[in-house]
Amino acid sequence: MPAKVDMDKIVSLCKRRGLIFPSSEIYGGLASCWDYGPMGVELKRNVRDAWWKAIVHERDDVVGLDTSIMMHPGVWAASGHIDSFTDPLVECKSCHLRWRADAVEGKRCPKCGGELTEPRMFNLMFKTSMGPVEEEASTVYLRPETAQGIFVNFDNVITTSRKKLPLGIAQIGKSFRNEITPGNFVFRTREFEHMELEYFVKPGTDEKWLDYWVKERFDWYVRLGIRKENLRLRQHGKDELAHYARDCYDIEYLFPMGWSELEGIANRGDFDLIQHAKCSGRELIYYDAEAGEKYIPYVIEPSAGVDRSVLAFLIDAYDEEEVEGEKRTLLHLHRGLAPVKVAVLPLSRNEKLTPLAKEVFNKLCTNFVTDYDDSQSIGRRYRRQDEIGTPFCVTIDFESLEDKQVTIRERDSLAQIRVPMEELGKILEAKLEGEAFDASPLWATREK
Ligand code: GAP
């Protein structure tokens, strides 16, 4: 059972192993902005791909979309973001630190004890100007959610895809929020990536579809390795529902700072399509030719954050154990999420071993994300791969030169099997698809 971990250990592992770095670090960093390193970019891509596969590719009732970050300002007036996408802000009259009013107890600054101002509503959207001459340029916003790009394209997608309802439109992309109190590593940042599905349904079937998507999304995290006991569902109270929502469930994860939202699944009703129809003057309705009826669809919206999911997967996978008197830190990442699938490790940097090891690497890297590492001792190289969650290491030793066999070592059990080089690709493919790592007693040895 993996150990409970505090956030500092995750931040430190991410820095040490090239997963996530503070943004603009050589200039002292930029608050709440983070850069994904060589391992992080692979992990993040795998999370996105797993979502896209489950939501778009494995279904025939969902299509994808990729809309622009800057949109007509009318979109945000219609959606209610200009008026309602606000948090209550208080400022310390002494040190001028700003706080979310609902995150502070009493009327004193948590940092210096100074008096706080009365709360005022602070809009979380970032503004910029579009056009070459600033005075004449129009104000535009960086989108705070990808959802609106989907709503304003509803008619385009319905008329071009020729699909019937229920129909989902999915999008992954950057969103921006000028959060008053970002923090907890990549949990809450001002620039992040959304994975959003707007699932359009016939009114009256919306409650059933909300239940369906809550279950689907919960199960997705479990299928990708998050332990069930670290996930829970929480229905929003009537007083906390967003301005557009009729009902909403949060999937919460037990982060080191406590139970917090991982994903929200909302019933947005017909709020968005009605608003955009009213403000744009374009009719946004669905015509069901078979039933001969017209209606404005309701929308069920599972909305997740890529970065927050990456964080949950990292925390849940983190483990420390003792192997023969030495501490081993490892990530039990699901093999589909692991940044590197296979590491090729020649026993030593030797002129005879290198060509064979390179040959193995060149074959594997066309099928799997493969790492080649011949620096330092084999033990240290195993530890490095364990820390980024590489499921399989392939070792090439001096016997390999004679018998053309190599050793595969499995990350979690540390079991090893010796296999013919010719069959290596096929064997790894099966193991990466989930075949048990069945180390035969003849070959299996615990790593020494
Ligand atoms: N379109 C609905 C919507 O955006 P949300 O609950 O505000 O709903 C959905 O956001 C998900 O996006 C959250 O559950 C979280 O995973 C992610 N998210 C929201 N704000 C974030 C932030 N500032 N930093 C990182 N992730 C964020």
Side-chain angles (χ1 to χ4, degrees):
M1 169 69 57
K4 275 214 78 66
V5 57
D6 59 48
M7 198 71 97
D8 290 347
K9 282 197 175 170
I10 297 291
V11 176
S12 145
L13 173 74
C14 285
K15 176 83 204 294
R16 189 165 74 244
R17 291 293 172 224
L19 286 149
I20 304 175
F21 307 126
S23 165
S24 332
E25 196 184 9
I26 60 169
Y27 286 94
L30 179 67
S32 98
C33 293
W34 300 91
D35 296 340
Y36 287 78
M39 293 302 118
V41 75
E42 299 293 340
L43 173 59
K44 197 177 182 191
R45 179 189 294 245
N46 293 339
V47 170
R48 274 194 225 110
D49 288 352
W51 187 89
W52 196 261
K53 185 165 182 278
I55 299 288
V56 183
H57 289 168
E58 290 179 352
R59 311 181 58 101
D60 68 354
D61 58 350
V62 178
V63 293
L65 197 65
D66 185 6
T67 68
S68 64
I69 285 173
M70 288 179 290
M71 301 171 73
H72 190 290
V75 170
W76 306 112
S79 67
H81 281 83
I82 289 181
D83 288 339
S84 309
F85 195 57
T86 50
D87 274 341
L89 176 143
V90 288
E91 186 172 332
C92 173
K93 290 180 183 171
S94 304
C95 71
H96 298 288
L97 270 181
R98 292 171 162 195
W99 305 90
R100 258 178 71 159
D102 51 2
V104 186
E105 273 176 36
K107 289 206 168 276
R108 294 273 153 196
C109 172
K111 183 85 190 288
C112 74
E115 193 188 341
L116 295 173
T117 58
E118 283 303 310
R120 67 179 169 90
M121 294 317 270
F122 173 77
N123 195 293
L124 301 186
M125 280 197 294
F126 279 99
K127 271 187 204 160
T128 188
S129 338
M130 186 176 256
V133 185
E134 207 167 319
E135 303 83 68
E136 293 166 18
S138 53
T139 298
V140 290
Y141 300 92
L142 303 187
R143 67 179 177 202
E145 61 174 19
T146 62
Q148 297 305 323
I150 297 178
F151 295 127
V152 300
N153 275 290
F154 170 73
D155 204 41
N156 283 335
V157 175
I158 286 287
T159 46
T160 55
S161 69
R162 310 181 62 80
K163 291 203 178 250
K164 294 200 181 101
L165 256 55
L167 176 68
I169 307 178
Q171 169 154 234
I172 299 180
K174 290 263 183 177
S175 289
F176 301 84
R177 296 182 182 181
N178 199 1
E179 300 279 2
I180 300 169
T181 42
N184 284 314
F185 197 26
V186 294
F187 178 84
R188 181 169 284 111
T189 52
R190 295 191 170 115
E191 172 183 342
F192 63 97
E193 239 175 300
H194 255 137
M195 307 186 278
E196 301 201 289
L197 168 67
E198 308 304 321
Y199 195 75
F200 298 88
V201 305
K202 186 173 180 180
T205 64
D206 47 311
E207 285 176 18
K208 177 187 88 182
W209 283 112
L210 179 64
D211 291 348
Y212 169 86
W213 279 108
V214 167
K215 183 171 179 326
E216 274 295 300
R217 295 302 305 142
F218 192 98
D219 291 348
W220 183 79
Y221 291 102
V222 175
R223 276 204 307 278
L224 286 174
I226 295 210
R227 282 158 291 159
K228 252 189 184 155
E229 64 267 29
N230 290 340
L231 290 169
R232 71 177 189 193
L233 282 177
R234 190 180 69 79
Q235 188 175 17
H236 282 208
K238 289 270 173 274
D239 55 337
E240 62 173 323
L241 285 173
H243 62 276
Y244 51 73
R246 304 167 74 92
D247 197 359
C248 186
Y249 287 86
D250 282 349
I251 298 176
E252 295 188 331
Y253 177 71
L254 187 54
F255 286 96
M257 65 281 186
W259 287 101
S260 311
E261 176 186 342
L262 178 58
E263 165 163 355
I265 302 118
N267 180 351
R268 294 181 80 123
D270 51 11
F271 176 87
D272 302 273
L273 290 182
I274 286 190
Q275 280 300 106
H276 287 305
K278 202 160 77 189
C279 299
S280 68
R282 286 277 293 269
E283 196 177 50
L284 297 174
I285 53 169
Y286 174 71
Y287 178 57
D288 182 340
E290 264 168 36
E293 55 178 353
K294 281 181 180 177
Y295 56 85
I296 301 170
Y298 275 21
V299 177
I300 306 303
E301 179 196 61
S303 172
V306 181
D307 315 76
R308 207 173 279 186
S309 304
V310 163
L311 182 60
F313 286 123
L314 283 171
I315 292 167
D316 222 74
Y318 186 94
D319 198 8
E320 287 172 7
E321 61 174 30
E322 211 179 281
V323 178
E324 300 181 358
E326 269 190 47
K327 188 178 121 186
R328 175 169 97 117
T329 301
L330 74 158
L331 294 179
H332 295 282
L333 282 174
H334 186 279
R335 51 193 186 278
L337 298 182
V340 171
K341 310 297 178 203
V342 188
V344 174
L345 313 174
L347 196 62
S348 64
R349 195 178 286 166
N350 171 283
E351 60 182 19
K352 286 201 179 127
L353 283 186
T354 302
L356 192 64
K358 286 272 177 191
E359 190 188 318
V360 171
F361 171 80
N362 288 335
K363 269 197 196 144
L364 294 181
C365 73
T366 57
N367 278 338
F368 322 106
V369 179
T370 310
D371 191 17
Y372 182 90
D373 188 0
D374 63 0
S375 62
Q376 298 182 310
S377 74
I378 189 80
R380 292 183 87 150
R381 282 180 275 155
Y382 279 147
R383 299 293 166 261
R384 248 198 322 263
Q385 297 300 332
D386 289 342
E387 286 202 341
I388 56 168
T390 305
F392 300 109
C393 290
V394 172
T395 315
I396 290 98
D397 55 27
F398 289 98
E399 265 179 56
S400 308
L401 294 170
E402 307 300 321
D403 66 4
K404 299 283 181 261
Q405 299 211 3
V406 294
T407 303
I408 309 177
R409 173 237 198 219
E410 201 264 337
R411 175 195 69 200
D412 295 343
S413 62
L414 292 177
Q416 303 193 358
I417 56 174
R418 200 149 169 91
V419 303
M421 264 175 66
E422 263 179 23
E423 289 171 35
L424 181 62
K426 232 174 44 206
I427 292 171
L428 284 170
E429 196 175 319
K431 304 289 176 217
L432 284 164
E433 266 164 28
E435 187 185 274
F437 196 84
D438 197 8
S440 128
L442 277 179
W443 311 328
T445 47
R446 207 47 197 173
E447 182 192 323
K448 290 280 180 315

